[in-house]
Every structure is written in C-alpha cells, then in structure tokens.
C-alpha cells in the first residue's frame, strides 16, 4: 500500500520512490532476520543427518538401534540381502565354516577389480603383450603390485575353493536338500581353475607359453576329438580340425591362442562364473541357509525322515 | 644335500601357493578332526543316555535355555565377514609387496623349458602322464573327477552327519574323500612340484637337478611278461586283465562294503551301488597302476591298435 503524505492528493506519484525504498528496506530486514534463522535451522538439521531428505532417499529405513532396523539394514540393502536377517547363533563361528566360501567370493571381487585395471594397460597381441607386462612392471605407477595382487589372489582363490569344497564335504553339507548346489559348486570349481589357466598365457612369457602348450597338448589326445586320441584318426581328426585347434585357434600356441585366452579370461568365463555364482548363492538361501552347525543325529534316528 | 636346489624349488614364486597349501591343509584337517572328535563323543554319550538325548540341544557348543537361538546378521555375521575381507586384503598386500609374480623370457617355441610344468594345480594330472597315456591322464581323468564329484550327493545315502563334523558316522565317505583329495590329488601335486625335475625325472628333495642325467629304464608291457606277441592276443589279454581287475576288485569291494558298511549297502539302489563301485575301483586303480610302473617298470597293461591302457 502507498504511504499517504500530508498533501494526500498526489500520493500516487510521489509514492514510487517511497515504495522502492520501503521494499528494499523490507528485503534488507529479511536478510538480517530470516537468513540467520534459516542458517540456524540448517545447522540444527545437519546435526542429525539421518533426517535429511538426501539421507532418507538413500536409506529406506531409520537408523535407530532397534531389532527391526537391524533386520531392515540387511534386508533393504541390495548387496546385503543375500543374507537372511537372522541366523543360527552358532553359524557365525569361524571354526564351522572356515569362511572359505565368502573369501573365495571376496577374492573374485579383488580379481575383477585388479583385472579391469590391468586391462587398461594390456593388448592381447603377440607384438605387445609381453612389452605391456614389462611396462606394467617397470613404468606404470603401482603396476607391479597390481599384477602381483592379481596373480596371488588367483592362486589364493584356487586354494580357497578347494578348502571350501573340503569343508562342505566334511560337514556333509551336500546332503539333502543341497545336492544341486554341490553340483553348481563343482562347476564353479572347474571355472575357477579355467580362469586361472587362461590367465597363465597372457604375459606371453616362457612360463605361460609352455604351461599352456603342455595343457593343450592333452586336448590332442581327446578320444574321438583329438588327432592323437583313440579313434581320432579314424574319425578324420587332423592337427587342423581337432578340438585343440578349436581351443587355440590354430595348430600352435600363437597370436590366436593369445586372443582366445584373453577373451575367455576377461569376458567369457567371468560371465559364466557370475551366473553360476548367482545361482549358487541363491540356492544357499533357498536350501535353508548354511547347513549348520546342526544338532547331531543319533543312529536310531537315521532311518526316520528328518523333516 | 643340495640346499640351494631345495630353496630354488620352494621359493619359486609359483610354487609358493602349494607351499602355503600344505600347512593350511594340516591346520584345517586338525580343526575338522577336533570338532569331529567332540561331536562323536557327544553322540556316544547321548546314545548311552536316551533320556538326556531327548532334552539335550545336541551341540558341543554351550547353550542355555534363556539364550536366543538366532542372532542378527548385522552386526554378528557382517563383522566377521568384514574382518575376513580385511585380513585377506592385508595378506594379499604383504604377499604382493614381498614377492613378485613370475615373469620369464618372451615366449619362444624354439626353446623348450625343461621341466615344462603346468600351473601347480594341474600338476597332479601332469604327474599322471607318467603312468597313463595323455587321453586318460589329460581328458578321461579330469572328466571322471568332475563327474565323480558331482555324483557324490546322489550316491551317498547316509543321512547322518549333515551339518556337523563327524568321523564315526561317515567313515566310508570321509575316508574315500580324504583318499581322493589328500592322497591322490594333493600328494600328486606335491610330487609334481617338488620331486619332478628336468625330463620329468624323479629327484628327491635336496638332490641336484641334473639336466644331463640319463636313466636306463626298460619299460615293459604286461603282455610281454607272459610272452604274448601277437596283437590280437595282446588286445584280448589286456581286456581280460582290466576286466578281471574290475570283476575281482568289484567282488572284493562288495564283500568288504556289505560287511563293514551294511546300512549304506541296504539303503543304496542298484544304480547308486554300481556307480559307487565304478568310481571306487577307478580311484584304487590309480595307485595300482603307479605301483606297477614304479616298482615293476610295467608301462601298459592293455595294448590295442587304437589305445593303450
């Protein structure tokens, strides 16, 4: 509203400056009062970040220490929901599971991470492969520890897989209803060995070359499918059309073998293994979680149905 | 005693995993044995006391009536997993900082490595090449190992010992697995890693690898010992011997199995029983063939124009 002066009549004309002035005064006043108030409110709000909109949009439940929230913390998290909310109190004991399945999976993640980084520096070609590894060893920052970690994690993964299988066998965890998951595990064991084996050739050095030569020479002797195997000759197998040729992309370990090995190692087998891993973890849950430690069974109860 | 040679073998970077595997296996065998012993003692205690068996919680770990049977995954399991991840990371870091991954000269098809060894986890199969032709050692055996592992849950009819360590309730299954895993698989790898030198010859630990060593072994075939010369007769003779091994061995196994494992014998179907027999006899066949080769220098048992066993 225009402020009327003593003359009153021409208030509309003289009031413009007044209006602007008072408006600016109001704005200044609001800066003085509202902003500090808002800042105070903001700071108060930051004292409890779990109430902010950003936080509640990320985490779908409150963070108070209640049993419900502990359960939700696991269930509403895409990475943790592989786990149940609660487990048998004895099942967390290391002495039962040895933690080898989880360690295997963790090593797979480590290998994926270091492997992707190594791929940035590596060309799967006869000309460059060996030099790339030398480059990694001597020039790339942290290249040597990257390669070392990839190598040793791979070996450790083989050991962890074996120990996992050993534990699962010793605790009879392949028994009903987990027969199928044991089979998925056997396939994962084979895939782990193949992953390690296909990686062996990639530095293109003498060690990898001869290990793969020895390894694939066995394929020559595949019954019916290798040119040196039983009945291979009779079925028309030669060094240029048998199963070894298919594995190596040639009759000797050369450029094609390097490329095939690289693709199997970096793309083919990891994808297949990931699919089997998904099934493996899913079945662990669906088959009733980890198998034990279960109450011992007495001989008298053995012939009765358990459930 | 050539300590230098021994150290060279043990400290070869790619042999370190197998050096690490041995103490790990011993530790975990001990851990499993300790728990199996405790569980077996609990079982015999409860079997002697049926009243107690009705109320007992059936575990060797303590449990009191007021305690909850289940705990939250967060934090009780996740902290263990997190700790395991950290420890593994530290081990890997230290290992990677102290030991470099092997890197040899560029691949050279004209310069054969001697000995040319497969990665350590396949050395068991490579060792088998001494005793069997490549089609058996390199193709048939891995296939049989995979299939053999896969059929385990379907031929083990024993319902006991599911979810806890035990020895007394599963003697046959555990004994067989230990034989296959430790005696055949791991010890073959150890032989392939530590014993086999240039030319894949046998060098005892501490013996110097002599690249010029020659061994004059006259390997014979079993038919030769019996003076059989014609190809037809050799084929038939070998088939009879191998078939005889499976027939006689199968009968012996049958006699032992039904005596010492009568419950499993009663539970198993014909298919389960025969699959078990085939895998058991094949497994036992390996050390027999090794013994024939190492002690008697016998190379082949069965000779045909297409394949030799």
């Amino acid at each position: 509203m225009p402020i009327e002066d003593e003359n009153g009549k021409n208030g509309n004309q003289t009031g413009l400056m007044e209006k602007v002035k008072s408006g600016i005064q109001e704005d200044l006043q609001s800066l003085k009062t509202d902003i500090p108030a808002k800042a105070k409110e903001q700071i108060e709000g930051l004292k409890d970040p779990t109430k902010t909109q950003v936080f509640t949009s990320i985490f779908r439940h409150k963070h108070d220490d209640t049993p419900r929230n502990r359960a939700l913390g696991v269930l509403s998290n895409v990475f943790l929901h592989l786990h149940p909310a609660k487990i048998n109190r004895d099942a967390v004991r290391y002495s039962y599971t040895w933690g080898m399945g989880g360690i295997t999976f963790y090593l797979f993640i480590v290998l994926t991470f270091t492997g992707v980084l190594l791929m940035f520096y590596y060309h799967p070609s006869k000309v460059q492969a060996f030099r790339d590894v030398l480059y990694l060893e001597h020039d790339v920052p942290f290249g040597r520890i990257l390669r070392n970690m990839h190598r040793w994690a791979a070996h450790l993964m083989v050991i962890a897989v074996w120990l996992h299988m050993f534990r699962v066998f010793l605790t009879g965890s392949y028994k009903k209803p987990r027969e199928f998951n044991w089979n998925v595990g056997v396939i994962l064991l084979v895939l782990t060995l193949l992953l390690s084996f296909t990686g062996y050739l990639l530095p293109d050095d003498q060690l990898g070359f001869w290990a793969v030569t020895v390894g694939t020479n066995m394929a020559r002797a595949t019954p019916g499918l290798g040119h040196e195997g039983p009945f291979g000759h009779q079925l028309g197998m030669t060094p240029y059309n048998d199963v070894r040729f298919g594995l190596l992309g040639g009759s000797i370990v050369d450029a094609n073998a390097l490329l095939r090995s690289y693709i199997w190692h970096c793309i083919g087998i990891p994808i297949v293994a990931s699919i089997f891993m998904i099934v493996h973890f899913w079945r662990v849950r669906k088959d009733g979680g980890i198998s034990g430690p279960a109450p011992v069974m007495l001989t008298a109860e053995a012939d009765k149905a358990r459930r | 005693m050539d300590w230098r040679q021994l150290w060279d073998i043990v400290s070869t970077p790619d042999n370190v995993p197998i050096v690490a595997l041995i103490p790990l296996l011993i530790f975990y065998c001990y851990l499993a044995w300790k728990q199996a012993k405790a569980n077996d003692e609990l079982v015999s205690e409860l079997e002697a006391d049926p009243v107690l068996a009705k109320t007992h919680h059936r575990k060797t770990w303590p449990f009191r009536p007021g305690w909850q049977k289940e705990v939250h995954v967060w934090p009780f399991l996740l902290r263990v997993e997190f700790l395991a991840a950290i420890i593994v990371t530290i081990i890997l870091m230290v290992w990677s900082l102290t030991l470099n991954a092997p890197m040899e000269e560029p691949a050279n098809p004209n310069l054969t490595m001697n000995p040319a060894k497969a990665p350590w986890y396949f050395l068991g199969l490579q060792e088998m090449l001494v005793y069997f032709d490549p089609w058996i050692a390199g193709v048939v055996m891995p296939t049989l190992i995979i299939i053999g592992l896969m059929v385990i849950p379907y031929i083990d009819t024993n319902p006991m010992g599911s979810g806890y360590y035990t020895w007394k309730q599963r003697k046959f299954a555990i004994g067989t697995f230990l034989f296959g895993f430790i005696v055949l698989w791991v010890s073959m790898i150890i032989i392939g890693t530590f014993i086999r030198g240039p030319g894949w010859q046998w060098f005892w630990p501490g013996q110097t690898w002599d690249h010029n060593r020659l061994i004059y072994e006259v390997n014979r075939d079993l038919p030769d010992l019996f003076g059989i010369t014609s190809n037809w007769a050799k084929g038939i003779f070998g088939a009879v011997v191998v078939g005889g091994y499976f027939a006689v061995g199968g009968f012996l196994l049958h006699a032992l199995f039904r005596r010492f494992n009568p419950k499993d014998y009663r539970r198993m179907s014909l298919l389960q029983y025969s699959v078990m027999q085939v895998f058991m006899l094949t497994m036992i066949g390996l050390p027999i063939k090794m013994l024939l080769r190492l002690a008697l220098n016998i190379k082949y048992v069965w000779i045909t124009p297409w394949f030799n066993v």
Side-chain angles (χ1 to χ4, degrees), chain A residues 66-68 70-71 73-74 80 83-98 100 103 106-107 110 126 130 133-134 137 144-145 147-153 155-156 158-159 162-163 165-176 178-180 182-184 186-187 189-190 193-194 196-197 200 203-207 209-211 214-215 217-219 221-223 229-231 234 253 291-303 306, chain B residues 13-14 17 20-21 24-25 28-29 31-32 35 39 42-43 46-47 53 57-59 61-63 67-78 80-81 84-85 88-89 91-93 95-97 99-113 116-122 125-126 129 134-135 137-140 146 149-154 156 158-166 169-170 173-174 177-178 181-182 185 189 263 266-267 306-307:
Chain A
T66 62
R68 183 183 139 81
R70 281 186 175 185
V74 172
L80 299 182
H83 293 301
K86 279 179 151 192
I87 47 163
N88 188 318
R89 68 178 301 122
D90 293 323
V92 299
R93 285 173 190 272
Y94 178 78
S95 57
Y96 179 75
T97 64
W98 307 351
M100 282 302 161
I103 288 174
Y106 177 66
L107 287 168
V110 170
K126 254 331 218 191
F130 186 78
V133 181
L134 283 186
E137 291 254 297
R144 177 170 283 185
I145 193 173
R147 185 168 114 81
N148 288 352
M149 270 190 93
H150 195 74
R151 182 98 175 188
W152 303 138
H155 284 330
L156 211 56
V158 172
I159 293 178
W162 289 2
L163 289 175
M165 184 182 73
F166 192 40
R167 190 284 289 175
V168 169
F169 188 91
L170 289 181
T171 56
S173 304
Y174 57 81
K175 296 186 180 194
K176 234 177 193 172
R178 297 182 176 81
E179 303 99 316
F180 179 73
W182 166 269
N183 281 310
V184 176
V186 171
I187 290 167
L189 165 80
V190 176
L193 295 178
L194 287 179
S196 189
F197 186 64
Y200 224 69
D204 199 29
D205 64 345
Q206 280 284 67
L207 192 68
F209 178 85
W210 287 103
V214 169
N217 274 349
M218 305 241 192
T222 313
F231 308 111
Q234 287 83 346
V253 180
S291 60
V296 295
M297 191 189 249
L298 303 184
T299 320
E301 300 157 346
D303 291 324
R306 207 172 177 192
Chain B
D14 264 3
L21 179 67
L24 275 175
L25 263 183
Y28 283 113
C29 282
L31 195 62
Q35 294 175 79
N39 280 329
L42 179 68
V43 166
L46 293 181
E47 290 198 329
H57 67 95
R58 302 279 183 99
K59 289 185 194 175
W61 287 306
F63 182 78
W67 289 0
Q68 284 187 326
K69 278 196 170 159
E70 292 190 319
V71 291
H72 276 288
V73 161
W74 172 263
F76 297 104
L77 177 61
L78 287 174
V80 179
E81 292 178 345
V88 170
T89 311
I91 292 173
L92 265 181
M93 280 280 181
W95 192 354
S96 307
L97 284 169
L99 195 68
N100 284 329
M103 180 77 175
E104 310 241 347
E105 290 162 38
N108 183 354
N110 299 318
L111 184 67
T112 313
M113 296 260 284
K117 290 191 181 184
W120 59 271
Y121 38 82
F122 285 148
L125 295 173
Q126 202 178 348
L129 280 174
W135 68 276
V139 184
V140 174
I146 295 166
L149 284 171
M150 285 179 137
V151 298
I152 285 174
Y154 302 103
D156 183 357
N158 183 357
M160 291 194 291
S162 173
Y164 54 92
Y165 292 93
T166 174
Q169 294 186 339
R170 298 176 59 210
I174 288 177
F177 194 81
L178 287 177
F181 182 56
I182 308 279
W185 185 249
I189 289 174
K263 282 186 182 160
R266 220 180 315 115
R267 279 189 287 251
W306 312 282
F307 63 87

Side-chain angles (χ1 to χ4, degrees), chain A residues 25-96:
Chain A
Q25 260 169 2
E26 265 177 50
D27 290 346
L28 284 173
Q29 188 57 39
S30 74
L31 276 181
K32 271 185 201 151
T33 56
D34 295 0
I35 296 296
K38 274 187 187 296
K40 205 177 169 195
E41 203 181 296
Q42 190 87 63
I43 289 163
E44 283 302 311
L46 284 177
K47 278 184 184 162
D48 188 3
T50 60
K51 296 249 162 55
T52 58
Q53 193 188 355
V54 174
F55 186 94
T56 52
S57 72
I58 298 171
F59 300 99
R60 299 181 57 237
H61 57 87
K62 288 190 184 128
H63 199 246
D64 314 331
D65 189 9
T66 62
R68 183 183 139 81
N69 282 339
R70 281 186 175 185
L72 283 173
V74 172
L75 295 178
S76 68
N77 181 308
V78 67
F79 302 106
L80 299 182
H81 90 283
L82 276 173
H83 293 301
K86 279 179 151 192
I87 47 163
N88 188 318
R89 68 178 301 122
D90 293 323
V92 299
R93 285 173 190 272
Y94 178 78
S95 57
Y96 179 75

Side-chain angles (χ1 to χ4, degrees), chain B residues 14 21 26 34 50 59 69 77 82 95 98 122 155 159 165 203 218 228 235-236 244 255-256 270 284 287 306 308:
Chain B
D14 264 3
L21 179 67
I26 293 170
K34 206 177 90 173
K59 289 185 194 175
K69 278 196 170 159
L77 177 61
F82 189 54
W95 192 354
T98 49
F122 285 148
I155 59 174
Y165 292 93
F203 290 89
V218 184
I228 298 166
I236 294 166
L256 291 172
L270 179 63
I284 299 169
W306 312 282
N308 302 314

Side-chain angles (χ1 to χ4, degrees), chain A residues 212 216 243-254 256-258 260:
Chain A
V212 170
T216 49
V243 62
R244 180 170 174 272
F245 189 90
L247 288 174
L248 295 177
S251 59
I252 53 165
V253 180
D254 203 22
N256 283 346
L258 190 62
R260 284 190 186 198

